[in-house]
Amino acid sequence: GESVGLHLPTLSVQEGDNSIINCAYSNSASDYFIWYKQESGKGPQFIIDIRSNMDKRQGQRVTVLLNKTVKHLSLQIAATQPGDSAVYFCAEILNQAGTALIFGKGTTLSVSS
Amino acid sequence: NAGVMQNPRHLVRRRGQEARLRCSPMKGHSHVYWYRQLPEEGLKFMVYLQKENIIDESGMPKERFSAEFPKEGPSILRIQQVVRGDSAAYFCASSTTGGDQPQHFGDGTRLSIL
């Protein structure tokens, strides 16, 4: 079936640590992936995206890794800050069909000072 | 604010009433998507529209729900004869084109049914 899931519903880290949030997807036909951050009472905020012809993409303090062999996606946040506390979702779009984002259930990241 | 604008932010309706949710996409975006989010869950796709056309409504309930994106004005998600199960946060997103382009979201409308 089509589903995007996350390995852990919650992740707690100390300020300054690196965070890794994982996501497993089930549809090998998916070829575009996005990570979103959602703070309480707000809409999902685009963080970074990656296409299936790439293994890694870096942004400011964030890196997304894509392993198509095991259908695994991860978001790495360097030097995590309290402002990074939020729910993080991975989402995928199937190729060709491609319009609807399929979201996982989310990982809640808590950063303590 | 050049982002996706949704209104109202909060909407309370009694069972049987109609709910109208509005979405103005980002400037330059002609593709609009509606999603629904239940508490503690991810977003679920409902419908994808371009100006004056519904492209994909595979996620929309067959009854009571409709969407439009007229040539002028915002996109409207309309829910007729609301029931308690319609209580959710409804998010709109927009993009420059369809397919593998980032979708940018508004802050949603929280619909509560009494």
Side-chain angles (χ1 to χ4, degrees), chain B residues 24-114:
Chain B
S24 296
M26 285 179 69
K27 188 175 181 181
H29 288 193
S30 58
H31 297 245
V32 165
Y33 313 79
W34 286 93
Y35 293 82
R36 177 163 62 179
Q37 185 177 34
L38 296 173
E40 312 299 324
E41 293 191 7
L43 281 71
K44 296 284 194 282
F45 169 77
M46 298 181 73
V47 61
Y48 162 45
L49 310 101
Q50 295 180 39
K51 282 288 187 181
E52 300 185 273
N53 290 303
I54 296 174
I55 307 302
D56 179 356
E57 56 182 348
S58 59
M60 195 121 87
K62 294 288 186 283
E63 297 180 352
R64 302 188 299 107
F65 286 72
S66 62
E68 63 177 10
F69 189 16
K71 186 176 180 181
E72 301 291 337
S75 175
I76 307 288
L77 179 67
R78 182 183 178 202
I79 310 172
Q80 295 178 291
Q81 300 172 357
V82 297
V83 300
R84 289 242 169 93
D86 297 332
S87 295
Y90 292 83
F91 290 96
C92 170
S94 71
S95 65
T96 52
T97 64
D100 60 346
Q101 292 296 320
Q103 295 180 18
H104 297 274
F105 285 83
D107 282 336
T109 293
R110 274 127 188 102
L111 176 63
S112 298
I113 309 301
L114 302 179

Side-chain angles (χ1 to χ4, degrees), chain A residues 1-31:
Chain A
E2 304 168 5
S3 66
V4 177
L6 290 164
H7 291 303
L8 291 175
T10 61
L11 177 64
S12 297
V13 301
Q14 291 285 324
E15 182 178 1
D17 287 351
N18 296 332
S19 302
I20 299 176
I21 301 172
N22 295 306
C23 176
Y25 63 96
S26 62
N27 199 316
S28 56
S30 294
D31 66 355

